Amino acid sequence: MTVIDISASVMQFLLAFVVVAPLLGAVAALLPAPPGLKGKNPDQAVLRHGVTVTGAVLIATIVLAVGFDHDHPATMQATTDISWIPALDVRIQLGIDGISLPLLLLTALLTFLCALYSYSKPPAGPSPKAFVALVLVLESGTLATFAVLDLLLFFLAFEMVLIPMYFLIARWGGGQRQAAAWKFILYTLLGSVVMLLGILLIGLKSGTFDMVALATDNGRGLTTSVQVIAVLAIGVGLAVKTPMWPLHSWLPDAHTAAPTVGSVLLAGVLLKMGTYGFVRILLPIAPDGMRTFAPYLAAFAVVGIVYGSLACLALARTGAKGDLKRLIAYSSVGHMGFVLLGIATMTPTGVNGALFANIAHGLITGLLFFLVGAVKDRYGTADLDTLAGATGAALYGRAPRLGALLAFAAIASLGLPGLAGFWGEMLTLFGAYSPAEGLSRPAFRTFMAIGAFGTLLTAAYMLIVVRRVCMGEHTPHSRLSPPDDRAEQAADTPKAADAPQAADGGPQPSEAAGTRPAGTRSAATTPQLADIQTYEAAAWTPLAALTVLAGLWPAVLLGLTDPAVQKLLAGGKS
């Protein structure tokens, strides 16, 4: 069943357009704006260009989803197959199925929302020209990763996103941005070198880099030893990007230093590339190798779940001087642990749960980073102790809509039933209760119990964050900015160009933004912060609405992924 009957050639064009258009848009962003499109100034013109290109890509992706045959989601659709490097039998192969389509939609949506947000509130730093071009290159690489069907093309697309993200952190980030950017690039490049060796091993031993043909062969053309080596090599590169404990240490620094838009794209899109590689490449192409490493992958996954939660609890406690952005970053380590646990079960239930958790994490954590960025803009800091001690009646009393949305995102992140975060974690734990044949049931049920304990820890730190940031006591004479922190906040406070923007793009009044001259105290009534602005509502509302929709109607997503997962695990047989 298709919502609208679209011809195969048009579907092919749409998928090619989705992958290539952001790259062409990035080149155009670096060129001078035509006289009729400059608007008020060149900076505004290039930011509007970013919104236009990402909006066109989102529309094309939605049309692609509308024309997708939902009765056959396990079949590759909108396929393109063009010879590129005949000597190596490398082909430009594109296609989508029920596994990749939701990730394409998530990527296109988040990138458009980031462009829309940046139009009204550009990040402080160099010229917006380079910023828009880098975001578009990042989008093109991510979309290509989810759409290509050749192993070497997958590797090239996988690597394509590293340089843009490095510069987004290094040039537009906050404190310690250079060190965080270097840590990000070194970890991911080292992992990628090992991954390339595994990809070449598979291609040379099987005689093809065609991912569909390799998945259909289901490892029959590869010996067990080759599969084990390939899974180890490719898995290391994918685990770094996921990120899996203990290869995660680049993530908190990168998130803490990155601008708001960089954090949203890093958490909402880039982390999904690693887990997608496990599902698309390792599960169907090297099943024997995956079966060998599945217990170890599950063990690392549940350690990551507990470790990430304990790190968040440590950051959330009073007196820890924990950064709220860093806390959300550590929460991603735990959430992605559930995704890896689901993949390690090698069952349809577990893998479907992993794919659902992937999408849910992109929606919820993307929203959380938007909100934390807004809180930091208003207070000039994301330090939890400063926020809890300087907020007067806290967000509920000073910016009630912002406080309510932050509480909603936190509750969604802890997996409340009825919201998107619940289904992925539940299906993952169900999959661990009854893993695939050949895997140890006692071991996986132990992992299930540890993962379930991790959900309790997640609820604990998220509720602490809501209590401290949103529900602070009413203290009329508390300072908004403690004097001891003035020097630190001055270093972290955005420049005038990065000040909170009104709906029309102008800066907010300083009092509305939560800033006061040093030493002044609040009046008897708690001063109000600027609540959610129009451009913020436009960027955040789709994420909140989709979080509710996916929680109340999970069949929309599971109906796409389940047939494709069943076919993948069955060796290409429906």
Side-chain angles (χ1 to χ4, degrees):
M1 177 193 72
T2 57
V3 179
I4 298 177
D5 190 17
I6 300 177
S7 68
S9 58
V10 174
M11 291 286 283
Q12 289 176 346
F13 170 78
L14 285 172
L15 184 57
F17 174 82
V18 162
V19 172
V20 176
L23 206 55
L24 298 177
V27 174
L30 298 175
L31 301 175
L37 299 177
K38 283 186 177 179
K40 295 179 181 177
N41 57 65
D43 287 352
Q44 186 191 54
V46 75
L47 290 168
R48 185 169 60 241
H49 170 78
V51 175
T52 303
V53 174
T54 56
V57 171
L58 176 60
I59 291 171
T61 310
I62 292 172
V63 174
L64 199 63
V66 167
F68 187 81
D69 185 355
H70 292 262
D71 285 337
H72 301 92
T75 303
M76 283 294 172
Q77 302 179 34
T79 54
T80 298
D81 188 355
I82 303 171
S83 179
W84 184 34
I85 308 176
L88 297 176
D89 194 28
V90 178
R91 310 181 68 80
I92 298 177
Q93 292 178 282
L94 302 175
I96 53 170
D97 63 358
I99 294 172
S100 52
L101 180 60
L103 290 167
L104 282 179
L105 287 166
L106 176 68
T107 301
L109 174 65
L110 281 177
T111 313
F112 170 70
L113 296 181
C114 286
L116 191 63
Y117 183 83
S118 299
Y119 178 71
S120 294
K121 189 181 186 317
S127 165
K129 271 181 175 282
F131 175 81
V132 171
L134 289 169
V135 169
L136 290 174
V137 172
L138 185 72
E139 180 182 32
S140 180
T142 311
L143 290 168
T145 301
F146 300 138
V148 297
L149 299 176
D150 183 277
L151 278 177
L152 284 181
L153 281 184
F154 175 88
F155 176 78
L156 293 176
F158 196 85
E159 296 302 289
M160 184 176 166
V161 304
L162 300 186
I163 300 303
M165 183 53 70
Y166 167 81
F167 282 109
L168 286 175
I169 297 171
R171 301 299 300 277
W172 285 270
Q176 304 296 317
R177 60 181 181 266
Q178 292 291 345
W182 274 110
K183 198 171 185 179
F184 163 76
I185 199 76
L186 288 176
Y187 263 79
T188 49
L189 278 179
L190 288 174
S192 298
V193 169
V194 181
M195 185 173 76
L196 177 60
L197 295 177
I199 287 174
L200 292 175
L201 177 64
I202 288 177
L204 294 174
K205 290 294 183 180
S206 63
T208 181
F209 292 101
D210 186 332
M211 292 163 65
V212 175
L214 287 167
T216 304
D217 186 62
N218 201 220
R220 286 181 284 271
L222 300 171
T223 65
T224 300
S225 59
V226 168
Q227 290 188 39
V228 168
I229 295 171
V231 168
L232 180 61
I234 297 174
V236 167
L238 297 175
V240 171
K241 187 68 72 73
T242 297
M244 180 186 78
W245 181 91
L247 302 174
H248 70 283
S249 60
W250 61 269
L251 183 71
D253 292 337
H255 271 308
T256 304
T260 297
V261 166
S263 292
V264 171
L265 292 175
L266 183 58
V269 175
L270 263 68
L271 303 191
K272 312 300 172 282
M273 295 166 66
T275 52
Y276 175 77
F278 276 104
V279 174
R280 178 65 73 195
I281 298 174
L282 295 185
L283 277 178
I285 294 176
D288 293 338
M290 271 299 291
R291 198 169 286 108
T292 299
F293 283 106
Y296 304 102
L297 179 63
F300 284 128
V302 296
V303 170
I305 292 170
V306 175
Y307 171 83
S309 299
L310 291 177
C312 291
L313 280 171
L315 290 169
R317 65 183 174 85
T318 303
K321 299 301 263 181
D323 187 282
L324 190 52
K325 284 187 75 175
R326 195 174 188 84
L327 184 147
I328 302 302
Y330 270 112
S331 77
S332 291
V333 176
H335 289 306
M336 299 312 289
F338 279 102
V339 178
L340 290 173
L341 177 60
I343 293 169
T345 67
M346 299 184 69
T347 62
T349 301
V351 176
N352 275 304
L355 294 172
F356 200 104
N358 243 353
I359 301 298
H361 177 265
L363 296 172
I364 297 168
T365 307
L367 178 59
L368 275 171
F369 274 117
F370 268 134
L371 293 167
V372 173
V375 170
K376 185 173 182 178
D377 289 338
R378 285 157 170 77
Y379 287 110
T381 181
D383 178 76
L384 269 168
D385 287 335
T386 304
L387 293 176
T391 55
L395 284 180
Y396 285 164
R398 305 188 62 214
R401 294 184 183 87
L402 180 61
L405 193 54
L406 180 60
F408 165 82
I411 290 171
S413 183
L414 64 82
L416 185 74
L419 298 176
F422 171 74
W423 295 105
E425 294 181 2
M426 185 194 73
L427 291 171
T428 293
L429 295 177
F430 277 172
Y433 182 80
S434 183
E437 186 178 348
L439 299 179
S440 170
R441 282 199 173 191
F444 271 83
R445 288 182 181 179
T446 302
F447 298 147
M448 180 197 73
I450 297 172
F453 176 66
T455 63
L456 299 178
L457 295 177
T458 303
Y461 71 74
M462 278 299 179
L463 292 176
I464 289 172
V465 167
V466 171
R467 178 178 61 82
R468 297 194 67 200
V469 177
C470 299
M471 303 171 65
E473 295 180 1
H474 182 86
T475 52
H477 296 292
S478 65
R479 285 184 291 270
L480 293 179
S481 300
D484 293 344
D485 294 332
R486 264 181 282 158
E488 178 183 346
Q489 289 185 22
D492 291 337
T493 301
K495 302 286 191 293
D498 198 32
Q501 305 286 308
D504 61 359
Q508 293 288 349
S510 60
E511 181 172 339
T515 57
R516 289 173 175 270
T520 60
R521 297 175 181 269
S522 55
T525 57
T526 304
Q528 296 295 303
L529 282 178
D531 213 333
I532 296 177
Q533 304 296 298
T534 304
Y535 72 95
E536 293 173 329
W540 303 344
T541 301
L543 299 179
L546 288 171
T547 298
V548 175
L549 177 64
L552 295 178
W553 197 9
V556 173
L557 184 55
L558 293 174
L560 281 173
T561 62
D562 185 52
V565 168
Q566 298 274 3
K567 182 177 180 180
L568 210 64
L569 294 177
K573 301 172 184 175
S574 299

